[in-house]
Amino acid sequence: MLPALQEVFKSVDFSDLNDWGISAPVIDFLSPEAAWLSADWIITNPPFNLATEFLLRAYEIARKGVAFLVRINFLSGIERYNTIFRCQKPTLIAFYSERVPIIEGVWDPQSSTATDYVWLIWLKGSSPMVPVWFPPGMEEKYTKQSDMVLATPGEAARRLSVKKAMGQ
């Protein structure tokens, strides 16, 4: 996500709990020591098990808005409804018509997935809008040849073979 955001925004600060080889500052977003954080936008693919906490924190510190790329099942759940959606509905929900393969720490253009993802966007001061769908072919349309320097083709298959070899 980082290279694409850097193409669009004048300034992009980034951090993670892990350095995925991009020299990311290691910051625990939910830690009290990170209380100084502030940004116009918080754009992330949060860890699913902490996504609610991430959203509450992000909405608190973002001046303009929050955009989360999450598994579609984040939209359901009584606790998330009561904690988030009852009071703070997303301004925009953007669905993918095709599945987006996500692999921890890398981009593998050869991978596939059975998981559906959705963008949830909260623009402060704006009312909810009609959901939108990204039509088929978006990956092909927007992936540039220069993006391939970021790719690790075959990584998904390699990880799967390691899991099988370990009996998982």
Side-chain angles (χ1 to χ4, degrees), residues 9-20:
F9 292 97
K10 180 173 62 174
S11 173
V12 177
D13 293 324
F14 60 97
S15 66
D16 204 313
L17 272 178
N18 300 294
D19 180 357
W20 302 105

Side-chain angles (χ1 to χ4, degrees), residues 18 30 48 52 58 63 80 82 104 109 111 114 121 127 129 163 167:
N18 300 294
L30 300 176
F48 189 81
T52 298
R63 291 184 290 271
R80 275 188 294 279
N82 287 327
E104 187 175 64
S111 64
I121 301 166
S127 298
M129 300 164 48
K163 276 185 164 182

